[in-house]
Amino acid sequence: MDKTGAFVISLDFELYWGVRDKRTIQSYEQNLLGVRQVIPALLELFAKYEMHVTWATVGFLFCESRKELAGVIPRHLPTYSDDKLSPYPYLDTDAIGEHEQVDPYHFAPSLIKLISSYPHQFIGSHTLSHYYCLEPGQTPAAFAADLDSFQRVTRKKGYSSSSIVFPRNQVQPAYLSLCKKKGFRSYRGNEQSWMYHTRGAAEETLFKRAMRLMDAYVNLSGHNNYESLRRSPEGMVDVPSSRFLRPYSPRLQRLEKWRMKRIKCDLTHTAEHKRLYHLWWHPENFGSHIEENLSFLEEILQHYAMLRERYGMQSLSMEEAAAKWNQQEVRHEVLV
C-alpha cells in the first residue's frame, strides 16, 4: 500500500512527579485533580475518532500504595548536582499518602487500567522517577537502574513498554544504547529548530521559551513534519515531536484562532505531502479550563478526520510509527 500521511499523538502522564521540583501541590492542585475528569474524556474522544495514542507514563504511578512505592526504589539513585531534582528524599516525607484513594497526586493505577482498557492505547515509559538525563551529576548507571525498576513494576502489573519519552525532552544520545538493551524500540526526539534544542535546565533561557510560545501561534519554525523516521546506529527509531499542544490560557484567548490555524495548517501540509506529524502534551495541562481544552482538541480531531477521508491520513501510536513508517538508517557517532 502506498504511504499516506500519519498523525501521531503522545501524552506525558506524570501527575505531581513531573512538576515536583517546580511547583507546590497547592499551586497545581486544580490541574492534578482535574486530570481525573480529563483522562476519561480524552479516552472517549480518542475512541470516537479512532485515535491510536501513546501514554508515556511515570513508573511511580503504577504503584498501588506507599509501601509498594518504597519497594521499587532503584539500586543506584541519581546524584544530581541540584538536590531538589531527586524525588527519593521526598518519598520519606508526609507528602506521600498511603494509596490512590487518599493521595490522587502521586498514584494512578486506576487511571492506567482505564487507559489500557480502551482500544489502540499504548502504555509507554516516561522513566520510573521522571529521570532527567541531561542534568549535571546523573550517571548512566543511575539511568539504567531507573529503567530496570520501571520495567519491574510495570511488568508486574502486566504491561510491557517499547517506547520511551525522555522527561522534559532531555534526549541523551549516549543513552539510546541502554534503552535498546532494555527492550525499547522508539523514542520521541525534539523538533529540528534551534529553539527546541535542550541541554538541561540551565540552557532553558527566557528567550527560547518566548520564541516557542510565539511559534505556537505564528509559523516561525516550519511545519515540523517528517518525510521519514531516523533509526539510530543502536536501532532506536526517533519519532520526533512536531508540536506541543499548549493548554488554553484566558490571557491569550484572542489568539486561540491563530493557535488552531497553526495546527490545522501543519496537519493539512502533512496529509498533502504524505509526511508524519507528532502532537504531544500532558493530561494535566487540561486539568484547568477543561471544557475549553477538550473542545479545542476535538476540533483538531475533526480536522484530522476530514484529512483521513480526503487523503487517507492515518493515526499511529509511537510504537506503530516505529514499526510501520518509512525509516532511514543513520550513521553517526553517538556523543557521550
Side-chain angles (χ1 to χ4, degrees):
M1 187 175 71
D2 292 338
K3 185 176 78 168
T4 63
F7 184 20
V8 176
I9 290 177
S10 62
L11 299 175
D12 297 5
F13 185 23
E14 309 169 345
L15 290 183
Y16 189 56
W17 300 110
V19 296
R20 179 195 51 78
D21 57 310
K22 293 180 174 290
R23 296 172 178 261
T24 64
I25 287 180
Q26 291 72 25
S27 69
Y28 204 51
E29 188 169 31
Q30 183 177 3
N31 292 73
L32 295 172
L33 295 179
V35 82
R36 304 276 163 175
Q37 178 182 344
V38 166
I39 286 181
L42 286 174
L43 290 168
E44 287 299 310
L45 278 179
F46 293 154
K48 179 179 179 180
Y49 292 95
E50 301 179 359
M51 305 305 297
H52 298 210
V53 178
T54 295
W55 297 73
T57 305
V58 167
F60 285 157
L61 298 181
F62 290 82
C63 294
E64 302 277 350
S65 65
R66 180 173 180 146
K67 180 179 179 181
E68 185 176 12
L69 188 61
V72 303
I73 296 176
R75 292 177 298 121
H76 299 287
L77 300 184
T79 53
Y80 302 115
S81 298
D82 183 354
D83 292 339
K84 71 180 182 181
L85 295 180
S86 176
Y88 294 102
Y90 177 75
L91 295 184
D92 293 329
T93 69
D94 293 336
I96 309 294
E98 289 300 321
H99 48 72
E100 184 179 15
Q101 286 66 40
V102 297
D103 184 353
Y105 313 113
H106 301 101
F107 302 96
S110 69
L111 291 176
I112 297 169
K113 289 177 184 176
L114 180 65
I115 292 165
S116 63
S117 72
Y118 275 72
H120 312 305
Q121 307 304 299
F122 295 74
I123 303 297
S125 174
H126 206 34
T127 72
L128 175 76
S129 63
H130 206 254
Y131 190 98
Y132 305 121
C133 294
L134 294 177
E135 296 300 335
Q138 62 79 38
T139 64
F143 178 66
D146 183 282
L147 292 186
D148 285 339
S149 292
F150 173 88
Q151 291 182 322
R152 279 199 301 272
V153 68
T154 56
R155 288 171 178 171
K156 178 182 176 183
K157 308 292 182 179
Y159 302 98
S160 180
S161 300
S162 65
S163 66
I164 184 167
V165 171
F166 293 89
R168 303 219 171 126
N169 299 308
Q170 293 187 8
V171 177
Q172 170 58 280
Y175 288 178
L176 295 181
S177 59
L178 284 173
C179 294
K180 180 65 175 178
K181 288 177 182 177
K182 304 298 181 184
F184 295 101
R185 295 190 290 275
S186 64
Y187 68 101
R188 190 180 72 209
N190 297 321
E191 296 93 320
Q192 296 175 354
S193 173
W194 64 269
M195 68 181 74
Y196 294 99
H197 294 173
T198 178
R199 291 295 301 174
E203 293 190 12
E204 271 296 282
T205 65
L206 183 61
F207 178 70
K208 287 176 70 174
R209 292 173 61 189
M211 292 297 290
R212 291 200 297 267
L213 176 61
M214 292 175 60
D215 192 40
Y217 299 92
V218 181
N219 190 341
L220 300 180
S221 66
H223 293 297
N224 292 311
N225 52 24
Y226 307 96
E227 184 176 2
S228 60
L229 300 180
R230 298 189 304 168
R231 182 189 297 272
S232 74
E234 302 83 10
M236 289 286 289
V237 179
D238 181 4
V239 187
S241 167
S242 299
R243 182 144 318 280
F244 169 58
L245 180 58
R246 291 184 175 273
Y248 173 83
S249 169
R251 293 185 299 107
L252 300 173
Q253 181 180 4
R254 293 182 179 180
L255 298 178
E256 283 294 273
K257 63 180 181 180
W258 295 101
R259 186 164 70 100
M260 180 63 72
K261 181 180 179 181
R262 177 78 163 105
I263 295 174
K264 284 184 176 181
C265 287
D266 287 345
L267 281 171
T268 299
H269 183 274
T270 300
E272 290 175 343
H273 293 83
K274 300 181 180 180
R275 296 168 75 91
L276 180 143
Y277 188 81
H278 188 167
L279 190 69
W280 71 277
W281 69 97
H282 308 85
E284 298 84 3
N285 295 144
F286 283 17
S288 59
H289 308 292
I290 295 175
E291 183 177 347
E292 291 86 350
N293 283 310
L294 291 174
S295 176
F296 192 92
L297 175 62
E298 182 158 24
E299 187 171 343
I300 293 172
L301 299 183
Q302 288 171 347
H303 187 70
Y304 157 73
M306 180 273 292
L307 296 172
R308 178 176 58 193
E309 180 69 22
R310 182 175 298 178
Y311 298 102
M313 194 179 200
Q314 58 185 321
S315 171
L316 297 176
S317 67
M318 285 179 58
E319 295 81 358
E320 291 170 330
K324 297 179 180 180
W325 193 252
N326 282 16
Q327 298 171 17
Q328 61 183 8
E329 296 291 333
V330 176
R331 305 297 180 189
H332 60 77
E333 294 294 327
V334 176
L335 300 178
V336 178

